[in-house]
Amino acid sequence: MVTLDLRHVASPAVRDLLHLVNHPDFDRAQQQIEHLGGCTEPVRLTGHITTLDATTGEVLRSYSTDTEPTGSLLTACGNRRASRCPACSRLYAADTYHLIRAGLSGGKTVPDTVRTHPRVFATLTAPSFGPVHNRPDTRPCRCGTRHEPTDPLLGTPLNPTTYDYAGAVLFNAHAGALWARFTTYLRRELAARLDLTQKAARAVLRVSFAKVAEYQKRGLVHFHAVIRLDGPDGSTQPPPACATVAVLTDAIRAAAPRARISITSDAIGERELGWGQQLDVREIAAFDTDAEFTDQAVAAYVAKYATKSADASGTLDRTLYCRPCQGRGATVLPHGTPLPCTACDGTGQARPLPRLAVARHVRQMIRTCWELSRLPEFAELKLWKWAHMLGFRGHFSTKSRAYSVTLGALRDARRAWRTEQAHAHSGLPESEPTTTLVVGHWDYLGSGYSPGANLLAADVWHRRELERRFIAEGGS
């Protein structure tokens, strides 16, 4: 009889999987992986936590990672980028969908009457910094070619030597400030159209919004926004009858061109940044209508782009700067003495740009971020930190305070539900003392799975993806 020692022929991942499966407490390890739902880069923590009755000092619950089969606790990474973690990004997209939908149709602490408020879906685009290859509807591109939708030339400059890369990067870096300036002018335009002073308009009217950033093929961001008019207290009050969709649309079209930011630099000259000429504003119809832009369609559209990052334009979803020196090219000792960084080339650039697997246009935008970051007048922009995002340094999805429920509230509700489920399965009493004290200590151990656990996580993700598709197809 011939026996085969799999330890010498199997891959490291298979050997690690066999070791994990044969662990006496494998069920607990598998439970942790199942709980993550297919997260690709979980965070590994070590530590302990104890819950005490603050009055009596009685220990109610205690937990330590010493009891875990792997010696650590796995928690989901929570990354919203689909290119980094499909599982966590899908959860983020679902939360974003409910956040947007609640602000349009009600629910999640938002009254149903909000659907009667004037609301539009607006798209503010970036201006031109030079002609690029595109796909016109009725004629060929300026280069004389009719590009296919997947042509890598789309969005790249016709003449890279004359393209305003500095302006493009600075627009991305100031896009968030441009949006803030736009909302200021929007409130002023609304007050003017209602024949009110700005102070009087604030007393009867509130502008609520939720927006998401999307990258175009040319590497520039534009914003998709749901903009709604409320009473002074937000979604619980209707706006004045004179504040209609037509008034809101007209005010948006007037406010967008007024939002400008002027930049002066000895190195690149003067720049005036503003929105592009393409401005789209459409009324959001009710769910049960045949219109294209219903509340459900808009919520799904915004949620889709909330999980996409600059990788959609062909660039990267990870930072490029050197973390030890934070882009300074030198580390600083506690007593203030600078030392040359040993982890980068001395400029804070962590890896050579020519080695990046990106298109020439994207590489040039990244290189421009590095060059501008060395200018004193742009130091506060920290472009070295946001070079992987082509200079864009704002949040990809934001909302005004009174638009609807927050992402944090949705996560708290999910956490409370899981806690209730855990109590139900553990047999612990659901009620606790009104005052408790939680004492704990956690240390970051690393991220990612072991090779064997990675195979189990991939199986969890594949199984849940099949279940999702089965439900999406009506269970057929």
Side-chain angles (χ1 to χ4, degrees):
M1 181 177 180
V2 179
T3 59
L4 184 63
D5 190 352
L6 292 177
R7 292 175 299 177
H8 299 294
V9 299
S11 65
V14 174
R15 291 199 299 269
D16 184 67
L17 178 61
L18 292 174
H19 173 75
L20 187 63
V21 170
N22 289 292
H23 193 281
D25 203 5
F26 168 70
D27 289 342
R28 171 55 185 167
Q30 188 177 31
Q31 182 186 37
Q32 278 204 51
I33 296 173
E34 287 278 353
H35 179 73
L36 296 175
C39 174
T40 57
E41 295 183 1
V43 177
R44 301 198 305 274
L45 301 173
T46 59
H48 61 86
I49 187 170
T50 303
T51 303
L52 307 171
D53 186 328
T55 304
T56 64
E58 177 187 359
V59 176
L60 302 177
R61 291 188 304 276
S62 64
Y63 168 81
S64 174
T65 54
D66 293 338
T67 61
E68 297 291 352
T70 60
S72 63
L73 174 67
L74 295 178
T75 61
C77 67
N79 199 307
R80 66 162 184 83
R81 293 179 172 89
S83 58
R84 291 282 296 275
C85 183
C88 290
S89 71
R90 191 177 296 283
L91 186 61
Y92 186 95
D95 285 347
T96 302
Y97 172 83
H98 289 293
L99 183 152
I100 299 296
R101 182 72 185 273
L104 294 173
S105 303
K108 310 290 185 184
T109 72
V110 180
D112 295 343
T113 53
V114 75
R115 65 184 60 187
T116 63
H117 295 198
R119 68 263 179 93
V120 297
F121 185 63
T123 300
L124 284 76
T125 61
S128 174
F129 296 98
V132 298
H133 294 274
N134 58 8
R135 301 183 68 240
D137 295 332
T138 59
R139 63 185 187 280
C141 175
R142 294 185 184 184
C143 68
T145 304
R146 288 190 177 274
H147 298 287
E148 295 296 327
T150 57
D151 193 335
L153 284 177
L154 287 175
T156 62
L158 292 173
N159 187 355
T161 59
T162 61
Y163 191 79
D164 186 9
Y165 279 100
V169 167
L170 290 174
F171 172 82
N172 280 348
H174 290 87
L178 270 174
W179 171 263
R181 192 156 297 188
F182 160 74
T183 58
T184 298
Y185 282 114
L186 175 58
R187 295 182 180 95
R188 293 177 182 177
E189 293 291 342
L190 284 169
R193 279 154 180 77
L194 298 178
D195 198 21
L196 298 171
T197 64
Q198 295 183 43
K199 182 177 180 180
R202 286 194 298 269
V204 297
L205 185 69
R206 177 190 288 264
V207 177
S208 300
F209 66 85
K211 70 173 177 63
V212 65
E214 179 195 359
Y215 272 84
Q216 298 173 302
K217 290 184 178 296
R218 54 184 176 144
L220 296 171
V221 294
H222 62 228
F223 290 144
H224 301 291
V226 175
I227 304 177
R228 190 187 68 214
L229 294 183
D230 300 326
D233 293 335
S235 60
T236 58
Q237 285 183 317
C242 55
T244 62
V245 171
V247 170
L248 175 58
T249 301
D250 189 42
I252 292 174
R253 295 192 180 279
R258 294 186 63 187
R260 315 289 293 181
I261 293 180
S262 298
I263 297 174
T264 302
S265 169
D266 294 336
I268 66 171
E270 294 185 358
R271 293 286 196 283
E272 189 176 53
L273 304 175
W275 300 109
Q277 294 182 355
Q278 294 182 345
L279 173 65
D280 187 39
V281 185
R282 306 192 188 188
E283 181 181 0
I284 300 176
F287 170 68
D288 55 351
T289 63
D290 295 331
E292 178 183 0
F293 285 87
T294 63
D295 47 12
Q296 183 181 22
V298 169
Y301 187 81
V302 172
K304 180 179 75 170
Y305 285 105
T307 58
K308 296 179 67 176
S309 58
D311 54 292
S313 64
T315 185
L316 306 172
D317 58 5
R318 299 174 186 267
T319 56
L320 294 173
Y321 71 93
C322 178
R323 291 185 182 275
C325 73
Q326 298 291 298
R328 295 187 296 266
T331 56
V332 180
L333 298 180
H335 49 75
T337 303
L339 293 176
C341 181
T342 58
C344 70
D345 62 359
T347 66
Q349 186 169 322
R351 65 184 89 168
L353 288 181
R355 296 184 182 179
L356 297 177
V358 295
R360 180 182 301 177
H361 173 59
V362 172
R363 184 182 293 111
Q364 183 57 44
M365 290 196 70
I366 294 175
R367 183 178 288 111
T368 303
C369 287
W370 283 105
E371 294 171 351
L372 293 178
S373 67
R374 299 188 180 104
L375 299 177
E377 57 266 39
F378 300 128
E380 64 178 11
L381 298 179
K382 297 183 179 181
L383 292 173
W384 49 268
K385 182 177 181 180
W386 302 104
H388 68 297
M389 303 304 292
L390 310 186
F392 179 64
R393 56 198 184 95
H395 293 287
F396 266 81
S397 59
T398 59
K399 73 174 190 67
S400 59
R401 186 181 300 273
Y403 175 77
S404 72
V405 67
T406 64
L407 290 175
L410 293 175
R411 292 166 183 152
D412 289 342
R414 184 163 53 247
R415 189 179 301 112
W417 181 85
R418 288 175 176 172
T419 301
E420 293 177 1
Q421 296 299 308
H423 278 291
H425 287 84
S426 64
L428 295 174
E430 295 186 6
S431 61
E432 289 187 352
T434 56
T435 305
T436 59
L437 177 65
V438 179
V439 180
H441 176 77
W442 297 99
D443 291 316
Y444 173 76
L445 185 62
S447 60
Y449 298 97
S450 66
N454 195 39
L455 295 177
L456 293 177
D459 177 69
V460 172
W461 164 250
H462 179 69
R463 177 162 27 91
R464 295 200 176 188
E465 185 68 6
L466 290 178
E467 293 174 356
R468 186 190 66 82
R469 293 179 181 179
F470 179 77
I471 295 174
E473 294 174 358
S476 57

